[in-house]
Amino acid sequence: MKAQRLLAIVLKELRQLRRDRLTFAMIVGIPVMQLVLFGYAINLDVRHLQAVVVDEADTARSRELVAQLEATQVIDVAARAASPGEVETLLRRGEVDVGLVLPDDLETRLERGDRPAVQLIVDGADPAVQAAARQLVRFPVPDAAGWTARVEPIETVNFYNPERRAPINTVPGLIGVILTMTLVLFTAIALVRERENGNLEMLIATPVTPWELTLGKVLPFVGIGLVQVTVVLGLGRGLFDVPVRGSLLDLYLASLLFILASLSLGIFLSTLARSQFQAMQMAIFTFLPQILLSGFMFPFAGMPLAARWFAELLPLTHFLRLVRGIMLRDAALLELWPALAALAVFTAILLVMAVGRMHKRLD
């Protein structure tokens, strides 16, 4: 082995990396992204859960108690309700995370200390909410003598996952993660493969329009995505007894829209890449923020405001709200219309951008 020849190969490889801007960007970009996400955006200390309050006592002490609980910054009072039934409706729609019910005999319960004074209704479909609820249960509620120690002052009622089984929280989210990882990657290399095989030039000579070419690339993978949804649902039910409390039709319609969103992203990436390897790099680059910021692995409520705003631009964030709402909370699809509308807008914008770039290539 000659050091001169070895050095020549090393220098050649470095020059090649310098010319490949995408690879160089990922060498620097992935560590920077991980550092920023884990150091700044990822926060396991959950704060600012959206809460609805039912204050049946409506006394100075009940209002003081709500203010003290809000001062912990674990919850933010986002709504008031007249009855516990309204709390369940808001939880099912995903508009709030927890509900606080203060009974009309609050004063008596605080003085006697023999029964819980406050009922905390928790959305058990989100494990982060369950973890935050445990912080509130340990909150000392003042009684007539100062601080009660006879019984737990706050009683927790865990909706949708009373047994706190991890698969019930994990399996619905895995549907979105699996679809993201497979469909974006498959479609990202679709157009590039046509170019590398010389088929794109043949398509240019035909009357095929950009819309026909784009949809022709997308539609076969729609069926693949629906098969994957079916496989995950079947295995989740058979192996982990994960329920589907809502409508199967609503679940498949939500999945279909998310599949189209993922395919649109993949097609758009394929119009940017010059090789299949670059397309794969771009697809992997989009996985990190979606998996880390969507609420699948880490609590969405614990992220800083800027990270949550960015997460609203990611399709997986909205699909998790849809799939958890339908599967676990028995929510109707139209009750979750904000997430549905966000996915539709994302899909439309990405498709138009992809077709526009496709049109330039065919011209």
Side-chain angles (χ1 to χ4, degrees), residues 135-317:
Q135 301 179 49
L136 289 178
V137 169
R138 293 191 296 267
F139 178 77
V141 176
D143 64 1
W147 303 98
T148 182
R150 283 172 285 180
V151 297
E152 288 289 347
I154 299 179
E155 174 191 29
T156 303
V157 179
N158 198 320
F159 277 17
Y160 314 123
N161 187 10
E163 298 175 352
R164 294 183 174 87
R165 293 196 296 119
I168 290 184
N169 300 122
T170 305
V171 171
L174 276 175
I175 297 176
V177 171
I178 291 170
L179 292 176
T180 299
M181 294 182 66
T182 55
L183 297 182
V184 174
L185 182 60
F186 290 165
T187 52
I189 65 175
L191 186 63
V192 182
R193 184 173 59 243
E194 296 286 0
R195 188 187 309 114
E196 289 184 345
N197 293 338
N199 295 333
L200 189 60
E201 288 74 11
M202 296 174 56
L203 290 173
I204 293 175
T206 67
V208 174
T209 66
W211 275 107
E212 291 170 344
L213 180 57
T214 303
L215 293 177
K217 291 293 182 184
V218 165
L219 290 178
F221 293 105
V222 172
I224 293 175
L226 292 175
V227 169
Q228 289 181 320
V229 172
T230 304
V231 169
V232 176
L233 287 177
L235 290 177
R237 182 67 176 179
L239 298 179
F240 306 109
D241 196 26
V242 177
V244 180
R245 298 191 176 102
S247 166
L248 265 178
L249 177 61
D250 285 351
L251 179 58
Y252 273 95
L253 288 176
S255 301
L256 177 62
L257 185 55
F258 179 68
I259 288 169
L260 292 175
S262 300
L263 295 177
S264 301
L265 176 59
I267 286 292
F268 177 71
L269 294 179
S270 72
T271 64
L272 299 175
R274 297 181 179 179
S275 66
Q276 293 187 55
F277 180 65
Q278 282 190 349
M280 293 175 63
Q281 286 179 310
M282 290 181 179
I284 294 172
F285 199 71
T286 64
F287 293 160
L288 280 176
Q290 291 212 73
I291 293 175
L292 296 179
L293 297 181
S294 62
F296 172 71
M297 292 183 63
F298 302 101
F300 190 82
M303 299 176 190
L305 188 59
R308 281 182 282 167
W309 282 349
F310 180 74
E312 295 293 339
L313 302 176
L314 306 174
L316 185 57
T317 301

